[in-house]
Amino acid sequence: MTGAAPEAGQGPRGRRPGPTETRAAILDAARALFGDKGYDGASVRAVARAAGVDPALVHHFYGGKQGLFVAAMRFPVDPAEVLARFATADRAAFPETMARTFLEFWDDPDRRAPILALFRSAMTNERAAAMMREFVTAALLERVAEGQGVPLERVQAAAAQLVGMAVLRYVLRVEPMASLGRDELVALLAPALRAHFG
Amino acid sequence: MTGAAPEAGQGPRGRRPGPTETRAAILDAARALFGDKGYDGASVRAVARAAGVDPALVHHFYGGKQGLFVAAMRFPVDPAEVLARFATADRAAFPETMARTFLEFWDDPDRRAPILALFRSAMTNERAAAMMREFVTAALLERVAEGQGVPLERVQAAAAQLVGMAVLRYVLRVEPMASLGRDELVALLAPALRAHFG
């Protein structure tokens, strides 16, 4: 769940570790292809070909396209981690879980700066916006829509409530929203999220 | 209601027109002072002093600090216009009016580009963020809170729903939200806004 890469020098594991150079070649190829083709347009197969490795090795290292994207782009939030939290949430308390999870990521000092940098880049750069749109839609929003049994635009409206809160709280820093405690904010936002998930 | 400045050469009006040079001096001084001190820190009196005119003339031309700010910064939305629409809205339909007004401004092709430019600048520049925060809070959010009789953080939460929608629809352009018609979007967002205004 921590997303940390295995440390060098930990000795042999059950699975054969790839050399550092192979991982680096895969991540370089992935960055180039995601940057060039976007998230939807790049494939594990094309990345493997560009890196000169077997696609099975990319799957072995990164679990698939989503994990490869998170690792290559140093994406500060792993959708697999978010979905794991959502999966264990009480269905009736899903709005509270969604708000709390979002706030915990933004309030984490190790993640705040990279999330903010990524968000600013998507706000001002069309290529970064397209990559964020494609990745977040495929890896998170469509899966929440499926899991909650609601149309995609309702999940987008709920995401918009949280994204707008982040703009006001963390970027524009309007008071009192910037200083509210996490529990107060969850209580403030959950009724609106509930209106979307109904 | 259009916010256009009076055209030169329209001939005499009931009120004595100030010379173009005086208006230009006032607006230059206002831009410098708002940029330097922020919206809260600048005053009509200080702008008048810097421009070498009587404060009464600034009030006469621009109606006060808010109108001066809108004119000097070419702010693409006049809060006086927004509040006038809100004032005539049926109280029960306030969430729908708020969503529709916000969408009409963003969907207006003459305003979209300047609103977007201003928003991007506030997202990436601390001084622009402070100016936007102070102006929008004083000129709009605090007045809506007063008018609706709700705490300021609830108005901020409603504003966050609309701002986040703008990020997803106009900046990241996620589908289907980017292509929904205005009526569909009002229907999608109003229940969440209603949750905030209670």
Side-chain angles (χ1 to χ4, degrees), chain B residues 20-118:
Chain B
T20 305
E21 295 74 24
T22 306
R23 285 183 181 268
I26 292 170
L27 295 180
D28 281 349
R31 271 188 287 272
L33 273 159
F34 285 129
D36 199 36
K37 308 275 187 191
Y39 181 74
D40 288 348
S43 68
V44 166
R45 177 175 298 272
V47 169
R49 188 165 45 233
V53 303
D54 193 279
L57 191 65
V58 179
H59 280 284
H60 171 68
F61 282 158
Y62 301 105
K65 185 158 100 169
Q66 181 179 316
L68 177 63
F69 183 87
V70 170
M73 311 310 284
R74 294 191 182 79
F75 203 80
V77 176
D78 185 347
E81 188 184 342
V82 175
L83 291 172
R85 292 202 200 188
F86 288 179
T88 61
D90 180 17
R91 158 112 204 180
F94 181 72
E96 283 80 4
T97 303
M98 188 182 188
R100 188 171 297 278
T101 303
F102 188 89
L103 286 164
E104 280 172 9
F105 280 106
W106 274 89
D107 285 338
D108 177 349
D110 289 342
R111 304 202 205 226
R112 170 93 58 91
I115 292 176
L116 207 43
L118 190 77

Side-chain angles (χ1 to χ4, degrees), chain A residues 9-123:
Chain A
Q10 284 185 325
R13 302 286 192 114
R15 293 198 260 176
R16 174 171 45 150
T20 305
E21 295 73 24
T22 305
R23 285 183 182 269
I26 292 170
L27 295 179
D28 281 349
R31 273 187 287 273
L33 273 160
F34 284 130
D36 198 36
K37 308 274 187 191
Y39 181 73
D40 289 347
S43 67
V44 166
R45 177 175 296 272
V47 170
R49 189 165 43 230
V53 302
D54 192 279
L57 191 65
V58 179
H59 280 283
H60 172 66
F61 282 159
Y62 301 106
K65 186 157 100 169
Q66 181 179 316
L68 177 62
F69 183 88
V70 170
M73 311 310 283
R74 293 189 183 80
F75 203 80
V77 176
D78 186 347
E81 188 182 344
V82 174
L83 291 171
R85 292 203 202 189
F86 288 180
T88 61
D90 179 17
R91 157 113 203 178
F94 181 71
E96 283 79 5
T97 303
M98 189 182 187
R100 188 171 297 280
T101 302
F102 189 88
L103 286 164
E104 281 173 8
F105 279 106
W106 275 89
D107 285 339
D108 176 348
D110 288 342
R111 303 201 205 226
R112 170 93 57 92
I115 291 176
L116 207 45
L118 190 77
F119 187 57
R120 286 188 164 123
S121 144
M123 291 294 299

